[in-house]
């Protein structure tokens, strides 16, 4: 198979690319990424010279560019992760989210359809049995978020695959819209699509605008930890490699036109999670317990801040046998250790040079 992974230079995408390149030497893996502020090819240094890995710097809203890559590598499967992914940025600049997440996904769908239509005669069912009758051997897998379901009350159950979409932020609204387009392409054109909705990921290579890497880095520098509101919002955290394993399984074994929720049944109130992070960083830096707790700083709440997310991933467990492999305490210690051991990676991102680079990227759009 020849597989196109979009957003492969980002946080989750880099873990998916690494898994596929290492696990499937017989596949060609193409990473399509335009390298926004969140895309960093350093995330893939360990696999960039493998013969089955290819990189193409293309914007997902560039139809000709995407189609050209699909033709060049004779793509059979798409795993679509490229997106604007940060809620706070979506509040400041919602248009960028509509452009990339909505128009970009629609462009990806259109390009895949056009390319696979051009090959209808030669489309042959592949041994691993993917695809629909019209597009045998093909698959378009869209990675989405649990945030499309809206917010839950404390103790108010879980998001299941039947939960109604009720997005609140411009980010989640744009992801919800893209999910609808993906499903529409199956229902209208028989494109062999799959959608998964995952809870909050954590682990190595996450851009330090998100809670966990931002706070680890701030503790290291003795900088304030800005806790939104009262810190009582709840998120359901999954180790990123467990998400990548789920993506591998669902890409190969998931049912066409179906939806799977992915999550670890691992809910934490922000303030409790922050205290675990502080404790772990202090322990690994050799500081006395409680040393960095004074950095906690309560700040104005995020606008429209969703109270609680919690995913029910029973369907994925029952149908495909997936379960998270890491206990949270183990995952968070591994994560903190990784950021402390890879300070150069973090420093290059947080340096003024990097900021200038991404500002210029945005200025060009
Ligand atoms: P990220 O922000 O770390 O990476 C996004 C990547 O997409 C970057 O490499 C960026 O350069 C690329 N990109 C952005 N716009 C592009 C464009 N127009 N053309 C080509 N490439 C572009 O994001 P992430 O946290 O790794 O999330 C990946 C996907 O998973 C997203 O679709 C996100 O909605 C979804 N998701 C994320 C989480 C999470 O906790 N991070 C949870 C569930 C779902
Ligand atoms: P984030 O990592 O941005 O993920 P998401 O908004 O997609 O869930 O934030 C996780 C939680 O942490 C969320 O409830 C907002 C909160 N938060 C803070 O309290 N302070 C911060 O500086 C950040 C970035 C997030």
């Amino acid at each position: 198979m020849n597989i196109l992974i979009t957003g492969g230079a980002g946080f989750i995408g880099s873990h998916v690319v690494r898994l596929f390149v290492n696990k499937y030497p017989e596949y060609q893996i193409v990473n399509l990424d335009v390298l926004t502020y969140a895309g960093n090819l350093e995330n893939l240094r360990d696999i960039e010279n493998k013969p089955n890995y290819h990189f193409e710097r293309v914007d997902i809203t560039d139809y000709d560019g995407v189609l050209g890559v699909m033709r060049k590598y004779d793509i059979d499967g798409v795993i679509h992760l490229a997106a604007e992914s940060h809620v706070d940025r979506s509040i400041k600049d919602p248009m960028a989210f509509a452009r990339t997440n909505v128009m970009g996904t629609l462009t990806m769908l259109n390009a895949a359809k056009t390319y696979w239509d051009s090959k209808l005669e030669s489309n042959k069912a592949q041994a691993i049995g993917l695809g629909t009758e019209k597009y045998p051997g093909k698959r378009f897998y869209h990675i989405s978020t649990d945030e499309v379901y809206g917010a839950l009350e404390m103790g108010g159950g879980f998001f299941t695959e039947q939960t109604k979409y009720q997005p609140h932020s411009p980010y989640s609204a744009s992801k919800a819209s893209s999910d609808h387009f993906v499903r529409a392409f199956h229902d209208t054109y028989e494109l062999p699509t799959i959608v998964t909705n995952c809870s909050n990921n954590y682990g190595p290579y996450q851009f330090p605008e998100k809670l966990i890497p931002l706070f680890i880095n701030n503790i290291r520098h003795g900088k304030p930890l800005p806790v939104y509101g009262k810190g009582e919002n709840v998120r359901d955290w999954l180790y990123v490699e467990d998400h990548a394993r789920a993506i591998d399984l669902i890409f190969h074994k998931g049912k066409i036109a179906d939806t799977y929720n992915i999550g670890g049944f691992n809910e934490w109130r922000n303030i409790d999670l922050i205290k675990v992070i502080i404790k772990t960083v202090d322990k690994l830096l050799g500081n006395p317990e409680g040393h960095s707790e004074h950095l906690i700083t309560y700040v104005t709440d995020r606008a429209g801040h969703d109270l609680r997310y919690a995913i029910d991933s029973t369907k994925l467990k029952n149908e495909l046998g997936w379960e998270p492999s890491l206990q949270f305490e183990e995952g968070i210690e591994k994560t903190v250790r990784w950021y402390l051991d890879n300070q150069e990676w973090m420093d290059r991102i947080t340096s003024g040079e990097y900021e200038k680079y991404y500002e210029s990227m945005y200025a060009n759009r």
Side-chain angles (χ1 to χ4, degrees):
M1 284 199 106
N2 301 327
I3 301 176
L4 182 64
I5 300 179
T6 71
F11 166 48
I12 302 173
S14 64
H15 289 275
V16 176
V17 168
R18 176 175 295 101
L19 177 68
F20 273 71
V21 165
N22 287 331
K23 186 170 171 187
Y24 301 108
E26 71 278 23
Y27 292 176
Q28 296 302 312
I29 305 300
V30 183
N31 171 13
L32 185 152
D33 196 304
V34 79
L35 303 179
T36 67
Y37 77 92
N40 185 352
L41 289 177
E42 241 188 272
N43 298 356
L44 293 164
R45 277 284 132 80
D46 54 323
I47 56 105
E48 68 186 3
N49 293 321
K50 300 253 174 160
N52 64 335
Y53 171 73
H54 312 271
F55 173 69
E56 296 284 346
R57 187 170 190 180
V58 172
D59 193 311
I60 57 165
T61 62
D62 170 5
Y63 176 79
D64 293 334
V66 173
L67 189 58
V69 171
M70 295 211 57
R71 279 204 189 103
K72 177 173 170 188
Y73 296 95
D74 187 19
I75 294 298
D76 304 297
V78 175
I79 304 178
H80 176 42
L81 296 110
E84 290 291 341
S85 67
H86 191 42
V87 174
D88 294 330
R89 280 179 194 267
S90 82
I91 295 168
K92 291 201 188 91
D93 184 9
M95 292 300 284
F97 284 68
R99 179 188 173 276
T100 296
N101 299 357
V102 183
M103 293 310 292
T105 300
L106 185 51
T107 305
M108 289 300 306
L109 288 161
N110 252 333
K113 179 180 177 304
T114 302
Y115 180 58
W116 292 336
D117 277 346
S118 76
K119 298 192 42 163
L120 280 185
E121 293 305 310
S122 60
N123 282 343
K124 282 194 238 77
Q126 310 240 339
I128 45 180
L130 305 181
T132 46
E133 210 174 306
K134 186 166 170 197
Y135 300 104
K138 309 296 181 226
R139 177 152 295 196
F140 190 106
Y141 177 2
H142 175 64
I143 308 299
S144 191
T145 167
D146 60 356
E147 304 191 24
V148 297
Y149 295 125
L152 296 164
E153 294 301 319
M154 292 301 177
F158 295 89
F159 298 134
T160 72
E161 289 81 359
Q162 277 71 48
T163 303
K164 250 180 38 189
Y165 274 31
Q166 214 172 347
H168 298 297
S169 73
Y171 164 64
S172 53
S174 68
K175 291 296 289 186
S177 170
S178 66
D179 295 8
H180 291 317
F181 272 111
V182 173
R183 295 189 179 108
F185 265 64
H186 171 268
D187 297 351
T188 309
Y189 309 111
E190 287 178 57
L191 205 76
T193 60
I194 294 191
V195 177
T196 55
N197 299 86
C198 188
S199 61
N200 284 61
N201 284 215
Y202 71 99
Y205 301 112
Q206 187 167 30
F207 193 82
E209 62 188 352
K210 306 278 167 49
L211 180 75
I212 291 181
L214 176 73
F215 278 33
I216 294 171
N217 194 44
N218 281 10
I219 297 167
R220 175 163 79 88
H221 291 290
K223 282 170 40 181
L225 307 175
V227 180
Y228 297 163
K230 294 187 180 141
E232 284 172 352
N233 303 66
V234 171
R235 295 292 182 265
D236 181 356
W237 294 94
L238 180 69
Y239 191 68
V240 62
E241 288 179 2
D242 279 330
H243 188 191
R245 273 196 310 110
I247 290 173
D248 174 21
L249 185 65
I250 294 163
F251 178 78
H252 288 96
K253 301 265 185 331
K255 269 209 325 266
I256 294 294
D258 220 341
T259 295
Y260 300 87
N261 278 353
I262 309 174
F265 290 107
N266 179 41
E267 289 179 58
W268 286 81
R269 274 199 325 164
N270 288 343
I271 191 64
D272 299 329
L273 172 72
I274 289 161
K275 287 185 177 159
V276 172
I277 296 171
I278 292 173
K279 197 169 160 188
T280 311
V281 177
D282 276 339
K283 184 179 91 179
L284 294 180
L285 287 179
N287 294 330
E289 192 163 340
H291 174 81
S292 300
E293 289 222 359
H294 70 283
L295 298 173
I296 291 177
T297 309
Y298 290 93
V299 298
T300 310
D301 208 353
R302 172 187 278 172
H305 197 172
D306 285 337
L307 181 62
R308 173 174 167 252
Y309 302 142
I311 272 277
D312 180 348
S313 54
T314 310
K315 172 177 169 180
L316 181 56
K317 181 178 176 195
N318 289 347
E319 292 190 9
L320 299 180
W322 176 90
E323 276 185 285
S325 68
L326 274 189
Q327 290 298 314
F328 186 64
E329 288 68 17
E330 202 184 340
I332 206 75
E333 176 143 347
K334 213 171 146 171
T335 301
V336 171
R337 203 180 285 283
W338 188 88
Y339 285 101
L340 296 180
D341 288 347
N342 288 275
Q343 292 181 10
E344 285 180 7
W345 177 91
M346 178 66 86
D347 291 344
R348 272 196 289 277
I349 289 175
T350 53
S351 71
E353 279 310 302
Y354 193 86
E355 281 295 304
K356 267 189 242 147
Y357 168 73
Y358 102 70
E359 291 300 343
S360 70
M361 287 291 299
Y362 270 84
N364 290 335
R365 286 171 147 213

